[in-house]
Structure formats: structure tokens, C-alpha cells
Amino acid sequence: MRRTAARAGGAAGLPEAAGVPEAPGAAEPGPGPGTGPVQDSAAPAHAPLLPQDHLRTEFPFQLPRGYVDDSGTVHRDGVMRLSTARDELVPLRDVRVQENPAYLSVVLLGRVITRLGTLPMVHDGIVENMFASDLAFLQDFYRQINAEGHTRAAVRCPHCTEHFEVELGGSRLGES
């Protein structure tokens, strides 16, 4: 079976079907602009980095209700970035978090939300004044973008040999 390298195209010059094997019987493209070399399946799987291999660090979201500022403006569209280890460690020194561990998610979200509507800055004071449904949405969104499907493990029962998945991650924001 032969595979072709990704072709340039699509929005913003990103490959449309990079790394996807061709369907059986599909014609292989001839050489031309934007086509890569044909690779034999026995060749090593070391491919040059393509645009889709870049790490995505920011993710847009839209709040279910929206944050209402002091002037009555509703802010719904925002951007959250991936969390760093520092983002999860620094709030643990916060007195509010030490007194009430549930406050961890508020402080953590205040650090990773980079934009919300037309607000000049997002911080934990903004997050603590959000509606509960928006806070729950953001907590779930945080888990989704930071876990990226790596919090489950496939296991096998030693008694019945049934295969199933178990959740490895913590139940609260900032836990692992």
C-alpha cells in the first residue's frame, strides 16, 4: 500500500487530508505544486512537521448566558488558553483557595481566560461574578482542552477479562 504526503490547500494554507491514507483504488496524484513525495509503507514513519503539527494553545468559546459587566453589557465570546503547571500551582498559595478549596477553579479560570467580549482584562474577580451555569461551562471546557482525551485508560478485568475504560483524572479543576 502506498501513501502520499499532505497537499497544501484549505483555509489558511493548512493541509486538508494530511496523513490520511488514500482509499483503496484511489488514483495517486502526479507530481506538481503542493504535492509531496510518494512514500512506501515500509519507509520509516518520520515525516517532516506540517502546519497541523503545531500545538494549538488557544480555544474560542461562547458562554451559555454571558458575563454582565457594571454597565450592563453582556460578554459571551471568549478565548481560553492551555493551562501550564504554574497556572495550577500558583493558586494553591492563594489565601482564598487555602480557606476554601472550591475557590481554586475561580482563580485558575481567571488565569487561563485570555479574552472575554470587549473586557480589557479577565481576572478571578470577573469569574467569581459569572452566573453558575457559565462557571460550570468554563470548568468543563477547561477539562476538555487540557485533558485532550488522556484522562482515561483502557484496562482489563483480571477476573472476567472484560475490557473497559477507567477515569484517571481528578474530579475538580486543578486536580490530576
Side-chain angles (χ1 to χ4, degrees):
M1 181 171 150
R2 296 174 66 110
R3 294 172 36 167
T4 60
R7 285 173 272 191
L14 295 176
E16 293 176 321
V20 177
E22 288 186 288
E28 290 186 16
T35 59
V38 176
Q39 294 182 349
D40 188 63
S41 61
H46 303 287
L49 289 179
L50 297 173
Q52 82 275 6
D53 292 332
H54 290 268
L55 180 62
R56 182 176 173 198
T57 60
E58 291 191 325
F59 300 83
F61 63 83
Q62 186 173 59
L63 295 174
R65 295 194 189 271
Y67 169 74
V68 182
D69 66 16
D70 293 334
S71 65
T73 305
V74 179
H75 304 273
R76 292 185 70 202
D77 296 320
V79 175
M80 184 182 294
R81 65 172 172 79
L82 288 177
S83 178
T84 64
R86 182 181 197 91
D87 290 324
E88 294 201 358
L89 293 171
V90 167
L92 297 175
R93 294 187 296 217
D94 191 304
V95 174
R96 298 167 296 180
V97 173
Q98 292 172 353
E99 291 174 359
N100 182 2
Y103 207 78
L104 174 62
S105 64
V106 171
V107 177
L108 185 52
L109 289 170
R111 292 179 61 89
V112 297
I113 297 172
T114 59
R115 185 181 63 78
L116 183 59
T118 58
L119 295 173
M121 182 186 350
V122 182
H123 49 81
D124 53 12
I126 301 288
V127 177
E128 72 181 353
N129 287 307
M130 289 182 173
F131 295 111
S133 58
D134 289 334
L135 179 62
F137 168 84
L138 289 169
Q139 289 170 330
D140 185 51
F141 190 66
Y142 176 92
R143 281 187 207 96
Q144 287 177 18
I145 69 171
N146 285 288
E148 207 173 336
H150 297 292
T151 60
R152 293 186 155 267
V155 295
R156 186 182 70 189
C157 176
H159 301 290
C160 68
T161 68
E162 178 95 15
H163 291 276
F164 60 96
E165 289 185 339
V166 294
E167 183 68 36
L168 299 176
S171 60
R172 291 188 307 178
L173 215 52
E175 284 187 347
S176 49

